[in-house]
Amino acid sequence: MNEMKQLFFLDWKYRNFKASSFANGLFYFLGRIPLLGKIVPTTMLYREYGLKKGIAALKLIGSILFSFFWYGLPFVISLFISKGLSHVTSSKVSILFVWLMLFNVIGICLLELFPNLERQEIQFITNFRVSKEDYIKKSSLLKIIKTIIFSLPGLIIVGIIEKQVVLSLLIGTFSLLSFSLIWSVINLHLTLFNKRLLIKILIVIVIISIDLTLGYFLIKNDLLMSFQKLTVSWLGAFVCLMLWLPFLYLYVHFKRFSEYTRQMFISSEVLINYSESNKKDQQYYLGEGKKMKLEKVADDEKVSSLTGSKYLNALLFNRFRTSLRKQLMYRVVGISLVMLAIVVFSLFAPIKIEPIKVEKLMYNFMPIMFFVLYILSFGKSVVQTLFVNCDSSMLAYPFYRESKAIVQGFFYRFLKTFYYNGVIGTTIYLWFLIFNGVNNQLLSLEFSIIFFFVILSLTILFSFHELFIYYILQPFTSDFQVKNPVYKLVDGIFYFIAYISLQIKTAEFSYAAIVSGISILYFVIGLIVIVKVAPKTFKLKN
């Protein structure tokens, strides 16, 4: 009982800390507004404790009410999904079944396998000298308890709608408890593995695939009603009840909690430093490079046989290989999850439009593809990493500014950027082929070839463009300032072009041909300019 009191006391203390920080932040913000600052001066930060306590109390109540709303939102979404599935299929799909499959199994898996601490949590632990290990252990268990408490109103309403209140509460409560503990225990162990991110991503993909396949099989074969029978549901509730006990024991007696805590703090602080750095203009252009600097890994043996410019560039990319691959994995998994959902949806609701009309719709999708590939491109990330971690120091040496070294370095960096962007483009194209195959080759071979050339030309464009303007304009100074306004202008224009592409509602073959042609032409002309001009412009600014 004392342990439970400590859990809730810790949560209450943290909520009060956040509410008090909000109140102080509000006074500080109001005090800096012209005219209003005379009425609410920033000196009120050090007085008016009663007023600040009142604001903090309102914030505290508001946060609790918002928690009930936030945890109730999945049930509302499940209601609409269940109605939609019931119209599409002959089976009546229950709200609880949708919630269990989507938000319980998949949702908890995603949350528990990729945890991180908020900035305010780290401040709370530091300011109040709370044990890191003790806080993470208690807050993890408390998070499960809070999830159950805040989900109770939603479970009760679902139970009333489906006329099975007791069953809804039992299955909902014990499944939340069971799956949360299962994934917490799995995460504890996986976080200490060397290849933890890859393993976690693979687990998520497998779980999502199994979950969606099972749901599709039950609905497709009209087995959902028998699956939802009262006797089976009661058995499921009993299994969930018994399942959480061994995992609770494993969680409480985890022997390497201190190592897990250290790893959690390292990953959380990197994310926090990165998110805060983006607030300033300087960090917008170099924040990615500084973030990468925190994740550098010394691994020089694989490139020790190389010499000259090739050695320096290979060494750089080798040291940041882990971080770049992590970013690539996030992008590939994100694309795969979206495309997997589209493919599964097409199985539930087969496309009945004529192939010619489908191709016309796909042509309209190509302008969106321009923006998507622009956002997912590694161009900016690579350029910022190059300057912060290499060029800012090496450009001071004459041998590094020789024409041959600059041109060789450019081509090596372009090929590396093209590799990472190429994996993204290939992933999109492979999913396109899977979609086309699942829908009985709905799109013609000619369109598939055109779509391939569009992705290829855009991949070349986005791999080349950032490096090109970096070498021709080289806008960064030795103290990491951006002094060249032309660079900002070109960067803004290119983003504007990508944004404008989203506004194109109708596109045809001519759009694909023009975009591909301009991209390749820009690339060819740019290569000539790089060879001729870059050795003169690629210098360190003061």
Side-chain angles (χ1 to χ4, degrees):
M1 195 66 184
N2 287 331
E3 190 71 21
M4 291 295 293
K5 286 182 179 178
Q6 288 180 9
L7 286 176
F8 283 103
F9 176 73
L10 186 69
D11 180 63
W12 182 253
K13 195 173 181 180
Y14 175 58
R15 283 180 178 270
N16 269 294
F17 169 74
K18 288 204 298 183
S20 299
S21 299
F22 171 80
N24 282 324
L26 181 64
F27 275 105
Y28 180 76
F29 171 75
L30 294 175
R32 292 179 65 86
I33 297 176
L35 300 178
L36 189 60
K38 295 181 179 179
I39 304 172
V40 188
T42 53
T43 53
M44 289 183 70
L45 283 169
Y46 310 104
R47 56 178 190 265
E48 302 295 341
Y49 295 110
L51 181 59
K52 285 192 287 188
K53 282 184 179 180
I55 294 172
L58 291 174
K59 174 66 171 63
L60 195 60
I61 294 169
S63 68
I64 294 172
L65 293 175
F66 179 77
S67 296
F68 279 109
F69 165 78
W70 182 250
Y71 284 95
L73 199 57
F75 295 102
V76 178
I77 297 171
S78 300
L79 172 64
F80 287 107
I81 293 175
S82 66
K83 284 185 176 181
L85 291 175
S86 297
H87 283 302
V88 174
T89 64
S90 57
S91 304
K92 185 181 183 302
V93 183
S94 77
I95 305 169
L96 190 64
F97 175 79
V98 174
W99 172 80
L100 188 68
M101 299 295 280
L102 290 182
F103 294 98
N104 210 338
V105 178
I106 297 177
I108 292 176
C109 173
L110 291 172
L111 289 174
E112 294 297 336
L113 284 180
F114 301 99
N116 64 282
L117 298 171
E118 297 176 357
R119 178 173 55 83
Q120 284 187 316
E121 285 184 286
I122 294 178
Q123 290 177 345
F124 173 72
I125 292 169
T126 305
N127 294 344
F128 290 90
R129 298 182 180 179
V130 179
S131 165
K132 296 178 182 179
E133 182 179 334
D134 192 47
Y135 176 84
I136 291 177
K137 183 182 289 187
K138 287 181 177 178
S139 63
S140 299
L141 292 173
L142 185 62
K143 182 181 176 182
I144 299 172
I145 297 171
K146 288 194 297 183
T147 300
I148 294 171
I149 292 172
F150 291 128
S151 298
L152 284 177
L155 287 169
I156 293 171
I157 293 170
V158 168
I160 292 171
I161 293 172
E162 300 187 340
K163 299 178 181 178
Q164 291 180 339
V165 177
V166 177
L167 189 62
S168 176
L169 285 171
L170 279 173
I171 292 178
T173 301
F174 291 123
S175 63
L176 277 171
L177 188 59
S178 303
F179 287 119
S180 296
L181 283 169
I182 288 169
W183 294 121
S184 295
V185 171
I186 292 173
N187 180 56
L188 285 174
H189 290 82
L190 288 185
T191 300
L192 304 181
F193 286 11
N194 289 330
K195 302 290 184 180
R196 56 186 176 273
L197 180 65
L198 179 61
I199 298 172
K200 287 181 179 183
I201 290 172
L202 288 174
I203 289 174
V204 169
I205 292 173
V206 170
I207 292 299
I208 291 175
S209 301
I210 293 173
D211 188 71
L212 293 177
T213 303
L214 177 61
Y216 172 72
F217 175 78
L218 292 172
I219 296 173
K220 187 75 174 176
N221 295 282
D222 295 328
L223 297 174
L224 198 57
M225 291 303 292
S226 58
F227 181 79
Q228 294 173 173
K229 281 185 179 178
L230 193 63
T231 51
V232 178
S233 299
W234 279 103
L235 179 63
F238 177 74
V239 169
C240 289
L241 171 62
M242 300 305 295
L243 196 61
W244 68 274
L245 295 172
F247 283 95
L248 178 61
Y249 176 83
L250 288 172
Y251 185 87
V252 172
H253 292 277
F254 183 66
K255 302 297 183 184
R256 302 172 69 186
F257 227 111
S258 57
E259 296 176 53
Y260 171 76
T261 302
R262 182 177 60 83
Q263 192 62 49
M264 273 281 289
F265 262 80
I266 291 172
S267 58
S268 296
E269 286 176 340
V270 167
L271 289 171
I272 289 166
N273 289 335
Y274 173 54
S275 63
E276 289 182 342
S277 69
N278 285 333
K279 294 177 181 178
K280 296 181 180 179
D281 179 70
Q282 173 196 352
Q283 300 303 335
Y284 170 77
Y285 292 102
L286 289 170
E288 189 74 25
K290 291 182 177 180
K291 172 182 174 285
M292 294 283 282
K293 192 172 185 177
L294 298 173
E295 300 177 358
K296 182 171 66 174
V297 177
D299 184 11
D300 304 345
E301 294 180 5
K302 295 181 180 179
V303 299
S304 56
S305 61
L306 302 175
T307 57
S309 175
K310 193 171 183 180
Y311 168 75
L312 287 173
N313 285 287
L315 179 65
L316 180 73
F317 279 95
N318 194 53
R319 288 182 172 181
F320 293 99
R321 185 179 67 252
T322 301
S323 183
L324 287 169
R325 286 182 178 177
K326 186 191 297 184
Q327 292 182 37
L328 179 63
M329 190 64 67
Y330 283 142
R331 287 163 165 83
V332 169
V333 171
I335 293 167
S336 299
L337 290 176
V338 172
M339 293 302 296
L340 177 63
I342 293 172
V343 170
V344 172
F345 181 77
S346 70
L347 290 172
F348 279 106
I351 299 173
K352 297 179 181 180
I353 310 173
E354 295 178 9
I356 296 176
K357 292 184 178 179
V358 176
E359 284 196 5
K360 189 174 181 180
L361 289 173
M362 289 300 293
Y363 273 118
N364 294 339
F365 177 71
M366 286 187 184
I368 300 174
M369 183 59 61
F370 186 99
F371 185 81
V372 170
L373 288 175
Y374 169 77
I375 294 297
L376 297 178
S377 169
F378 273 81
K380 284 185 182 295
S381 178
V382 168
V383 164
Q384 293 181 23
T385 302
L386 290 172
F387 183 78
V388 172
N389 300 283
C390 180
D391 295 343
S392 60
S393 301
M394 297 304 298
L395 278 172
Y397 298 96
F399 77 89
Y400 194 73
R401 300 195 304 270
E402 291 180 0
S403 298
K404 185 179 178 181
I406 288 175
V407 173
Q408 283 183 347
F410 175 86
F411 278 100
Y412 186 93
R413 293 168 175 188
F414 166 72
L415 291 174
K416 281 292 185 180
T417 310
F418 180 74
Y419 164 76
Y420 288 108
N421 287 338
V423 172
I424 295 171
T426 303
T427 302
I428 293 173
Y429 190 71
L430 287 176
W431 274 108
F432 163 75
L433 294 179
I434 293 171
F435 172 81
N436 201 26
V438 167
N439 289 278
N440 302 315
Q441 301 299 325
L442 189 65
L443 299 164
S444 65
L445 178 61
E446 291 79 5
F447 180 83
S448 300
I449 295 173
I450 292 168
F451 191 61
F452 171 78
F453 276 110
V454 169
I455 289 181
L456 177 61
S457 61
L458 289 177
T459 303
I460 292 173
L461 172 66
F462 295 130
S463 302
F464 175 78
H465 171 72
E466 292 292 340
L467 276 170
F468 174 69
I469 61 171
Y470 170 56
Y471 270 75
I472 296 301
L473 299 176
Q474 208 305 85
F476 307 122
T477 63
S478 55
D479 58 347
F480 303 114
Q481 298 294 321
V482 185
K483 296 294 185 182
N484 194 332
V486 179
Y487 180 81
K488 294 183 180 181
L489 179 63
V490 173
D491 183 68
I493 290 173
F494 204 75
Y495 174 80
F496 180 73
I497 292 171
Y499 174 75
I500 286 295
S501 68
L502 287 176
Q503 313 307 313
I504 299 175
K505 305 302 180 184
T506 304
E508 297 177 349
F509 171 76
S510 57
Y511 174 85
I514 291 171
V515 167
S516 299
I518 291 176
S519 299
I520 299 300
L521 184 64
Y522 177 62
F523 171 66
V524 172
I525 295 174
L527 289 180
I528 299 171
V529 174
I530 284 292
V531 174
K532 299 292 184 181
V533 180
K536 301 175 183 177
T537 57
F538 193 56
K539 299 176 182 179
L540 188 64
K541 303 295 191 300
N542 294 320

